[in-house]
């Protein structure tokens, strides 16, 4: 089975712009979660989607949003980019969305905000 | 609330020697515990998890971890380290009554010297 794929792998944007990141989960997986990784804050949970519904949300401002499509693919959007949004954004997929499910991570999208 | 502590920023070990990467957790319910490894410019790779049952969990690439409820620890171990094990290791927790969002430790860099 193919793993979790994320596109694009690298992005460079300027402050004030918006960006959309894409994630395709492992075939058959219905849960998709997003995490932000920075040197200062480490790995932080953004949100989780299951069957096209956002089930959980982390402590991030409303500029961060996402959605999930009927084929389980997910997109994450960040509007009005700030320098502090520079990070590695990781997507993880899970089979059925249970707490005990293993979350399998993609390679990430490296976002640089100038 | 839940939290994970990885008290060592870096662990150095000689190839062929046993290695231990420490993790302690704090949750108000029963924990589900995970270990992931991250290689440079890559996403997180799942190693093993503890859900319930046997306190000794065996995972990928010869790694294992021991769940100790009284000490609230979940240390990662390997009997014989390889140079290729050099990477960043993350411990993570989900509480059994919580939401489906991994809380990660700050990470421990493992350096295996030839």
């Amino acid at each position: 089975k193919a793993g979790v794929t994320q596109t694009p792998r690298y992005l460079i944007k300027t402050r004030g712009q918006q960006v959309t990141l894409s994630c395709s989960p492992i075939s058959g997986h219905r849960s998709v979660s997003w995490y932000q990784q920075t040197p200062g804050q480490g790995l932080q949970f953004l949100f989780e989607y299951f069957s096209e519904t956002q089930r959980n949300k982390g402590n991030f401002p409303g500029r961060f949003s996402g959605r999930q499509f009927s084929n389980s693919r997910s997109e994450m959007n960040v509007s009005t980019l700030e320098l502090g949004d520079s990070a590695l954004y990781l997507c993880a997929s899970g089979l059925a969305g249970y707490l005990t499910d293993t979350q399998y991570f993609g390679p990430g999208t490296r976002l640089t905000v100038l | 609330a839940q939290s994970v502590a990885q008290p060592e920023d870096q662990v150095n070990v000689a190839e062929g020697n046993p290695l231990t990467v420490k993790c302690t957790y704090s949750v108000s319910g029963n924990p589900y515990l995970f270990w992931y490894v991250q290689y440079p410019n890559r996403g997180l790779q799942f190693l093993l998890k503890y859900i319930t049952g046997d306190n000794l969990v065996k995972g990928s690439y010869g790694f294992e971890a021991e769940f100790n409820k009284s000490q609230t620890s979940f240390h990662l171990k390997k009997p014989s380290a390889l140079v290729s094990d050099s990477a960043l290791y993350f411990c993570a927790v989900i509480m059994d009554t919580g939401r489906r969002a991994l809380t990660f430790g700050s990470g421990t860099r493992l350096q295996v010297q030839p």
Side-chain angles (χ1 to χ4, degrees):
Chain A
K1 266 188 184 177
V4 179
T5 58
Q6 292 187 246
T7 57
R9 291 292 312 276
Y10 302 91
L11 264 179
I12 299 176
K13 293 285 187 179
T14 56
R15 278 183 298 173
Q17 287 187 310
Q18 77 164 16
V19 67
T20 299
L21 313 181
S22 181
C23 171
S24 292
I26 293 170
S27 178
H29 284 199
R30 296 169 61 195
S31 167
V32 173
S33 299
W34 289 88
Y35 293 81
Q36 181 197 64
Q37 184 177 23
T38 60
Q41 299 298 316
L43 283 152
Q44 293 186 287
F45 171 75
L46 281 155
F47 27 65
E48 186 224 358
Y49 287 87
F50 182 80
S51 292
E52 302 179 66
T53 301
Q54 185 182 90
R55 291 203 301 188
N56 295 293
K57 190 176 190 305
N59 297 324
F60 279 81
R63 299 184 296 107
F64 291 82
S65 63
R67 58 178 176 168
Q68 186 181 32
F69 302 95
S70 58
N71 61 358
S72 294
R73 191 178 70 83
S74 177
E75 286 182 348
M76 189 191 99
N77 185 276
V78 188
S79 62
T80 320
L81 283 166
E82 300 177 0
L83 294 179
D85 297 333
S86 294
L88 181 67
Y89 289 89
L90 294 163
C91 164
S93 79
L95 182 60
Y98 297 122
L99 293 177
T100 54
D101 282 353
T102 298
Q103 295 188 41
Y104 296 94
F105 285 79
T109 294
R110 171 77 60 186
L111 172 65
T112 302
V113 182
L114 302 176
Chain B
Q2 56 197 44
S3 65
V4 174
Q6 293 182 243
E8 300 157 319
D9 289 337
Q10 181 156 322
V11 169
N12 297 307
V13 65
E15 188 175 30
N17 282 1
L19 69 88
T20 298
V21 182
K22 294 180 181 177
C23 171
T24 59
Y25 64 90
S26 174
V27 298
S28 54
N30 290 314
Y32 300 136
L33 294 152
F34 302 78
W35 274 102
Y36 287 87
V37 60
Q38 186 175 37
Y39 295 96
N41 301 314
R42 303 281 293 276
L44 300 177
Q45 195 170 322
F46 170 72
L47 285 177
L48 51 81
K49 67 180 178 183
Y50 171 81
I51 303 301
T52 188
D54 194 349
N55 289 342
L56 184 64
V57 179
K58 294 189 183 296
S60 306
Y61 313 116
F63 285 95
E64 59 187 31
E66 184 165 13
F67 172 66
N68 188 316
K69 189 171 184 177
S70 63
Q71 296 187 6
T72 62
S73 67
F74 189 56
H75 301 332
L76 181 70
K77 299 182 180 186
K78 188 174 182 182
S80 179
L82 299 172
V83 172
S84 57
D85 292 330
S86 298
L88 189 56
Y89 290 80
F90 290 96
C91 181
V93 68
I94 287 180
M95 195 168 62
D96 65 345
T97 56
R99 59 181 185 174
R100 184 171 154 74
L102 289 164
T103 296
F104 285 90
S106 55
T108 298
R109 186 162 301 282
L110 174 65
Q111 291 277 26
V112 182
Q113 282 107 20

